[in-house]
Amino acid sequence: MISQNIGEFDKSRVSFWYNNGFLGKGSVVVVLDDTSKPHDFTNVSLPMQDYTEKIGHKTNVCSVVREVAPECNIIAFSWFGSKKKEIVDWLFEHKNAIDVINCSFSDTIDDIEFSRMKDLDIPIVVASGNNGNSSLNSLPKLDWTIAVGAWEESRDKRANYSNYGVGLDVVAYTNLYIPTSDGYSRIIVTGK
């Protein structure tokens, strides 16, 4: 655990679970995000060669998941690439092995492939939206997704950019620190 995250991890009880030996071992988290590639040292499985070498949002999301659950199995896909149907087909083929699907996006218009995921019967976490609005974007309004807003530990308040309102299920800490190199020799703060 990066020392700068101790406040967030203590308040959200992640530290409690760490101290009792629960580090995510045996759990599978699927990340659907942009076309960037996770850092090699985060040990993320990439079943499809559907990514670019750039560092982007998926890179950071996978690093946050690894920081919170260091022993889980992370599988990542490029949702905003050209293989949505193949991704959802893969999810159905492996649904009994998946514990949670993370989608750090909140809007996709008339996306039939996203709609198919309702039948997976797997918790699907989606972002509430990053417009600072008092209503959620389209995906977090669905009754079969878990809508997550952003919360700042330092101010003990909702992040100004995070959407909120009816249908918000939970908030999670934003601005967590993640490594940018193996061995935590360099770290950055995440956010919006």
Side-chain angles (χ1 to χ4, degrees):
M1 173 188 326
I2 295 174
S3 62
Q4 289 92 332
N5 294 332
I6 290 175
E8 288 89 346
F9 283 19
D10 285 351
K11 288 179 182 175
S12 62
R13 301 205 20 103
V14 170
S15 300
F16 170 83
W17 293 108
Y18 272 24
N19 294 334
N20 285 283
F22 294 97
L23 302 171
K25 188 172 187 172
S27 61
V28 176
V29 177
V30 171
V31 173
L32 305 180
D33 211 302
D34 66 16
T35 60
S36 62
K37 182 180 177 194
H39 293 297
D40 290 337
F41 63 85
T42 55
N43 193 26
V44 173
S45 299
L46 301 165
M48 297 181 186
Q49 299 301 312
D50 60 347
Y51 56 83
T52 62
E53 293 294 326
K54 71 175 184 165
I55 292 177
H57 199 263
K58 181 170 58 182
T59 312
N60 294 336
V61 168
C62 290
S63 293
V64 168
V65 172
R66 180 62 65 217
E67 181 68 11
V68 173
E71 294 182 6
C72 77
N73 182 14
I74 305 171
I75 302 170
F77 294 95
S78 298
W79 184 254
F80 297 105
S82 62
K83 299 184 178 185
K84 286 184 185 177
K85 182 185 181 322
E86 292 89 343
I87 292 168
V88 176
D89 289 345
W90 188 97
L91 294 173
F92 273 96
E93 290 168 18
H94 298 87
K95 72 179 187 173
N96 293 332
I98 301 168
D99 294 295
V100 65
I101 298 171
N102 179 80
C103 306
S104 292
F105 52 88
S106 60
D107 246 346
T108 181
I109 299 171
D110 297 325
D111 193 328
I112 195 162
E113 295 306 326
F114 189 89
S115 297
R116 284 179 56 208
M117 292 196 301
K118 176 181 182 178
D119 295 328
L120 286 169
D121 198 29
I122 297 170
I124 300 175
V125 177
V126 297
S128 65
N130 288 339
N131 313 101
N133 294 336
S134 61
S135 65
L136 307 181
N137 284 2
S138 62
L139 299 182
K141 287 181 180 176
L142 297 171
D143 62 0
W144 51 274
T145 62
I146 300 168
V148 180
W151 197 262
E152 292 180 353
E153 188 264 341
S154 61
R155 298 183 320 125
D156 197 28
K157 288 186 174 185
R158 174 184 56 85
N160 291 334
Y161 63 82
S162 185
N163 291 6
Y164 59 98
V166 175
L168 185 66
D169 295 301
V170 66
V171 292
Y173 285 118
T174 188
N175 299 330
L176 292 177
Y177 284 77
I178 56 171
T180 59
S181 60
D182 195 7
Y184 293 84
S185 60
R186 292 181 53 227
I187 56 174
I188 63 167
V189 66
T190 64
K192 184 178 174 184

